[in-house]
Amino acid sequence: MLTVFHCFGQYFCLHFEAFQLGMAPVYMAFLRFMGDENEARNYSYSLEVGANGRKMVWEGTPRSVRDSHRKVRDSHDGLLIQRNMALFFSGGDRKELKLRITGRIWKETQTPDGTCVPVLCS
């Protein structure tokens, strides 16, 4: 599944997919930047999944779309959720997967005194 976001005048793609890690089914969400790797380093993001009073959080730098999808997935550079945790977060009878992933994208800007301040995408 792919969702595109427009923040700070740039485009980002949120990927979510299921795959096998060894013998275990896992789910992974990660953000890619529609530009080169040097520009991607100007941004940070966080992804969060949770329910039932529990949550998992991933924070990182988006990867450039110029890196292959497989390279990003195989490096596990994103929010990695094991199936049992995904079912726990889905609630109910734990047979149907219903995950709600939320996130933020930000970039750091410097104030006149040199302090770095995060600016969130709204």
Side-chain angles (χ1 to χ4, degrees):
M1 188 160 77
L2 179 70
T3 306
V4 176
F5 297 95
H6 186 252
C7 294
F8 305 111
Q10 304 290 336
Y11 288 95
F12 299 83
C13 299
L14 176 65
H15 292 259
F16 184 79
E17 68 175 278
F19 63 98
Q20 291 287 122
L21 186 58
M23 296 297 291
V26 295
Y27 303 93
M28 185 174 174
F30 57 92
L31 193 71
R32 294 173 78 192
F33 174 72
M34 300 277 238
D36 67 31
E37 186 177 336
N38 288 331
E39 281 185 278
R41 290 188 190 121
N42 293 324
Y43 302 93
S44 297
Y45 75 101
S46 66
L47 297 175
E48 182 178 305
V49 62
N52 304 315
R54 309 284 191 275
K55 69 179 174 180
M56 291 174 62
V57 178
W58 168 263
E59 192 171 296
T61 302
R63 299 284 290 265
S64 169
V65 292
R66 295 183 181 150
D67 282 340
S68 74
H69 173 265
R70 178 170 285 186
K71 179 180 177 181
V72 179
R73 185 193 66 201
D74 291 349
S75 70
H76 305 155
D77 191 8
L79 178 64
L80 202 60
I81 311 161
Q82 295 178 343
R83 182 165 173 75
N84 61 344
M85 289 301 297
L87 290 171
F88 175 78
F89 289 142
S90 295
D93 58 10
R94 296 190 182 187
K95 292 181 181 176
E96 187 177 9
L97 191 66
K98 290 183 182 177
L99 294 176
R100 180 171 183 251
I101 296 177
T102 59
R104 293 181 176 184
I105 300 170
W106 69 92
K107 67 178 181 176
E108 306 249 336
T109 60
Q110 285 194 345
T111 62
D113 68 358
T115 306
C116 286
V117 178
V119 177
L120 288 174
C121 177
S122 54

